[in-house]
Amino acid sequence: MRKQYRAEGLAESDLAATPVGQFARWFKQAATEAQLFEPNAMVVSTADAEGRPTSRTVLLKQFDEQGFVFYTNYDSRKARDLAGNPYVSLLFPWHPMARQVVVTGVARRTGRDETAAYFRTRPHGSQLGAWASAQSSVIGTRAELEGSYAELAARYPEGEQVPVPPNWGGFRVAPQAVEFWQGRENRLHDRLRYVAEPDGSWRVERLSP
């Protein structure tokens, strides 16, 4: 269970001016050239007030120079963690390309207008699902969940506007550091990390593999 990674690597001279610019390049390659399944899938790691970590996979829904956005139930475990400890890590594991991107930063809730605008783009069934699921809470049976969904489907049939749940919305992760990891031969990987400076610029440093 060992594979030799690629010969070509990642040089400082190849990097974009900002980590979001470099992420956009790699994301496009992952989505179009490598045609990865859900390249926007990322592992979100949070820690509670006692420092106990938890990780889960969610989908990135937007990114720009202000940060990386995902949506969730604000009563979920991840949201409760972030309420007490806003520091978060995002990992994009693009294994077929021997690439990883690791984002560390601070998560803040998106505004309600932004949340509502995104909610309207979701499929009708996903809108109902946001109401039906009390995310991360213990339930007795699958039937309870499906029953809740059926009640909502009857109340809001296809074509009728579903209101945005008050306890559902987005988080924007403002990056403080972003590492681009390129697997190389003989485990001599390239690891280039952007680090935010106080003046808003970015410093690039190379890490030993």
Side-chain angles (χ1 to χ4, degrees):
M1 299 178 67
R2 177 173 292 274
K3 183 177 180 180
Q4 188 73 290
Y5 294 142
R6 58 203 290 171
E8 65 273 21
L10 180 64
E12 287 82 348
S13 59
D14 297 331
L15 293 177
T18 68
V20 172
Q22 181 62 32
F23 180 84
R25 291 179 184 176
W26 272 23
F27 186 81
K28 182 178 180 181
Q29 291 172 359
T32 60
E33 296 176 20
Q35 296 183 333
L36 300 189
F37 175 73
E38 291 190 333
N40 59 325
M42 60 184 184
V43 179
V44 177
S45 298
T46 59
D48 64 17
E50 285 71 46
R52 294 171 296 194
T54 311
S55 299
R56 75 289 288 163
T57 302
V58 306
L59 296 179
L60 175 72
K61 291 301 180 180
Q62 177 188 344
F63 67 91
D64 55 28
E65 293 296 337
Q66 281 66 55
F68 300 79
V69 179
F70 66 92
Y71 290 85
T72 188
N73 187 307
Y74 285 146
D75 295 324
S76 65
R77 180 171 181 174
K78 72 177 84 61
R80 295 197 307 269
D81 282 356
L82 292 173
N85 176 8
Y87 294 97
V88 63
S89 173
L90 312 176
L91 167 66
F92 295 86
W94 295 330
H95 301 306
M97 304 176 73
R99 286 179 175 176
Q100 301 179 71
V101 180
V102 182
V103 179
T104 52
V106 177
R108 296 284 185 265
R109 290 188 181 190
T110 58
R112 293 309 293 173
D113 288 346
E114 183 177 355
T115 291
Y118 168 70
F119 189 79
R120 299 285 172 242
T121 70
R122 287 165 63 91
H124 182 73
S126 296
Q127 293 181 12
L128 297 177
W131 279 98
S133 172
Q135 195 174 71
S136 298
S137 65
V138 176
I139 59 176
T141 65
R142 171 82 187 186
E144 292 179 23
L145 180 65
E146 293 178 346
S148 176
Y149 182 91
E151 291 177 6
L152 288 159
R155 189 185 314 167
Y156 301 106
E158 188 77 42
E160 185 168 333
Q161 181 169 294
V162 180
V164 182
N167 62 336
W168 187 94
F171 281 101
R172 174 172 284 100
V173 178
Q176 297 178 329
V178 184
E179 178 185 334
F180 292 85
W181 184 99
Q182 175 65 73
R184 298 291 305 276
E185 291 180 332
N186 304 314
R187 296 302 186 264
L188 298 178
H189 314 307
D190 285 323
R191 298 177 60 189
L192 297 181
R193 181 171 63 188
Y194 293 78
V195 180
E197 298 281 33
D199 64 358
S201 64
W202 294 94
R203 179 181 78 255
V204 175
E205 51 193 18
R206 177 174 285 270
L207 305 178
S208 175

